[in-house]
Amino acid sequence: MPGNNSYTVTTAKITLTASATKSLILLAPGTPGLRLTELGVSFDGSSALTGVQIDLYRVATIGSPAGTTTTPAKLTDENATSAVATALTALTTEPTSVTILRSWMISPFGGALVLQEVLDREVGAITSGARLGLRYTTAASVTPGCVAYLGFTE
């Protein structure tokens, strides 16, 4: 069961692709797993546009996802051990299939979504061998910039 060390994975600014579904973050927990505690996404759209769908998902079939390897940052004691979990951000190749756990529609015109602690109960522990991801789906004309993060304990 996950412990008390807290970590975060944050993306750099990503310009969203119009008419696309792409993952922002994909977490791969190690043993003993992780517990998602926080989620955040914000946009810098300069005008009112069609909303962006944000999905929190669990990977059903992994396939061969690819993206930028990102080391989770420590949020607790700087002397805590490094995270066992690994992460990809700004995926260029998606997992083969996913199970959507939660979805939100967010305005790209300065819109933001931040959830704390609630996900700790809704999603629960994600164990080694599983993956947990955050992705977006855009309409044809939507291309704002975006940053996102996932916070977790292990």
Side-chain angles (χ1 to χ4, degrees):
M1 196 67 185
N4 293 322
N5 290 329
S6 295
Y7 306 89
T8 187
V9 173
T10 303
T11 67
K13 181 179 173 182
I14 298 169
T15 299
L16 306 188
T17 303
S19 301
T21 298
K22 295 194 177 217
S23 292
L24 300 164
I25 301 172
L26 184 63
L27 285 176
T31 302
L34 61 82
R35 186 171 293 278
L36 190 65
T37 58
E38 190 169 357
L39 173 151
V41 181
S42 61
F43 300 97
D44 69 354
S46 59
S47 61
L49 299 168
T50 303
V52 175
Q53 181 174 326
I54 299 295
D55 298 323
L56 177 66
Y57 67 85
R58 184 177 289 128
V59 173
T61 306
I62 192 65
S64 301
T68 302
T69 301
T70 304
T71 301
K74 300 174 195 175
L75 288 177
T76 51
D77 178 5
E78 64 185 45
N79 296 318
T81 60
S82 295
V84 176
T86 59
L88 293 175
T89 57
L91 273 68
T92 54
T93 305
E94 297 292 317
T96 304
S97 65
V98 303
T99 301
I100 297 174
L101 303 173
R102 298 284 188 266
S103 290
W104 302 270
M105 290 298 294
I106 310 298
S107 169
F109 182 41
L113 168 69
V114 176
L115 297 173
Q116 297 175 321
E117 303 307 328
V118 160
L119 293 175
D120 188 41
R121 292 186 306 275
E122 290 179 351
V123 176
I126 306 299
T127 58
S128 182
R131 301 287 189 281
L132 187 67
L134 189 66
R135 71 180 187 181
Y136 71 85
T137 301
T138 53
S141 61
V142 179
T143 59
C146 165
V147 292
Y149 69 92
L150 292 177
F152 62 94
T153 60
E154 26 177 63

